[in-house]
Amino acid sequence: METSSTVVETLPQVKEFVSGRHKMLIDGKLVEAASGKTFPSYNPATGEVLAEVPEGDKEDIDRAVSAARRAFEGRWRQVTPSERGQLIWKLGELIEKHADEFAQIESLDNGKPVAVARVADVPLAVDLFRYMAGWATKIEGNTIPLSVPGGGYLAYTLREPVGVAGQIIPWNFPLLMAAWKLGPALAAGCAVVLKVAEQTPLSALRLGGLIQEAGFPAGVVNIVTGFGETAGAALAAHPGVDKIAFTGSTEVGKLIVQAAAGNLKKVSLELGGKSPNVVFKDADLEVAIPGAASAIFFNHGQCCCAGSRLYVEKSVFDKVVEGVAEQGKQIKLGPGMDLSTQMGPLVSSEQLERVCGYLASGRQEGAKAVIGGQRVGERGYFVAPTVLTEVKPSMKVYQEEIFGPVVAAMPFSDAREVEAAANETIYGLAAGIWTRDISKAHSLAERLRAGTVWINCFNVFDAALPFGGYKQSGWGREMGHEVLENYTETKSVCVRIK
Ligand code: ADP
């Protein structure tokens, strides 16, 4: 990985922001942690410290929850749906205005190519806020015809904000995950405490400044940086929080459910996956091969919906595997700030260790790496795009979510066999199908136990399209109008009128 002239110049405002004194947004003010403590965020391309950020913990969560409660009971209630929508829209506009800055911050903190952040993470976050801005004025109840003998009743439902929402997000799409969480909660009229991932706190801290600039009343949005076991756990267990929304691993999702049990707060979860990606022999392989490669290699495989189990119909297995391997071989690894980089480093040394652990276990259990299979270089957290064959269902690399650029490829004989294999994990987040036969595509789509099925495409996201998991991939949906269910309560009002 030599440095090249395609490295982008860090914007002066990004330099200033990254090296500045970072503060969290609590109660409308930018503040340090109550303890005064900070912790480092690293540049994963180099392993060097990028910034020191406040180490928020229980005390900060308490402050943030109290502020959110005051805002929810006070000023935020007086804000009309139209005004709420305008504030959310304005936040989207401000992010768009600072798009280059956000793309660079994301690249430096997370490792992803700045060019990818510029066309994916940032515009998707902007779109999400714009889409949700529109919902603020459209959250409606119904009038309900009752069958009570004798009649004489008017009944209707109100959709009310659930209250103070705690939100915990991961590091793979830091800004976008913040948008997925904040947009619908604010549209519904909730006040929010957002705990961002400790690996990638910077874009949310920058967002805190824009939330102030947009003019949200104090306490409506609070952003806390800190660790999962301290700040995150305190938020999930907090008796003053009415609802917790979590995106992250299935393992931590289960801890969130337990923590939420104290006051039975509402819970929505978007968790892990081990998504099957099924290529039939009648697929357009010119499209399916790069599609299958990008299904796993996009964002370095650090996607909960990554197409990490590639099932290929026997007669085209070798061709597809060779094709995906060729695509993987061509991927240029490097620092995210280099425009020629197609794949950056993994987010952290822990993630590097975890992915390398899976590669070692695959080797020990008899899987064969057609390409990759190891770390690249000594500096930064780079892992080579990896295609594994000879993978058996008993292997860890088949069953567990690796969250790295590692795909297991398996041959199959017919639709029935692949349906059973695709459905045989604890997960059910997403799936891909590649075929020219529309009946086959739709009937398999119907039988797959997954929250999203992509046909002849993969990783297509839109603010209007619900996303979430069956089985242990989660509860509830993100995006679309469905996500509003996560942030509203239905109140039935029944009036005797005769
Ligand atoms: P990953 O394994 O991808 O890092 P995690 O599920 O560990 O994902 O983390 C996702 C988010 O959950 C992060 O913001 C992290 O700080 C938070 N988190 C981790 N452990 C806990 C916990 N015990 N309680 C609440 N939040 C947690």
Side-chain angles (χ1 to χ4, degrees), residues 168-169 171 195-199 228 232-233 246-249 252 255-256:
I168 300 176
I169 57 170
W171 44 258
K195 205 297 280 178
V196 301
E198 53 269 41
Q199 295 85 349
F246 172 77
T247 297
S249 59
V252 174
L255 297 178
I256 299 287

Side-chain angles (χ1 to χ4, degrees), residues 258-287:
Q258 285 165 15
N263 68 336
L264 281 182
K265 54 176 70 69
K266 314 286 178 226
V267 181
S268 55
L269 306 166
E270 198 256 278
L271 306 176
K274 188 79 182 173
S275 298
N277 197 12
V278 180
V279 181
F280 287 98
K281 64 174 189 247
D282 62 6
D284 178 353
L285 297 186
E286 300 278 303
V287 182

Side-chain angles (χ1 to χ4, degrees), residues 5-36:
S5 59
T6 46
V7 174
V8 289
E9 185 97 17
T10 309
L11 292 165
Q13 61 270 40
V14 171
K15 269 190 201 149
E16 195 187 320
F17 170 73
V18 169
S19 61
R21 211 174 163 78
H22 292 285
K23 296 196 171 165
M24 315 184 285
L25 178 64
I26 297 180
D27 204 7
K29 293 179 214 67
L30 296 177
V31 297
E32 309 202 338
S35 66

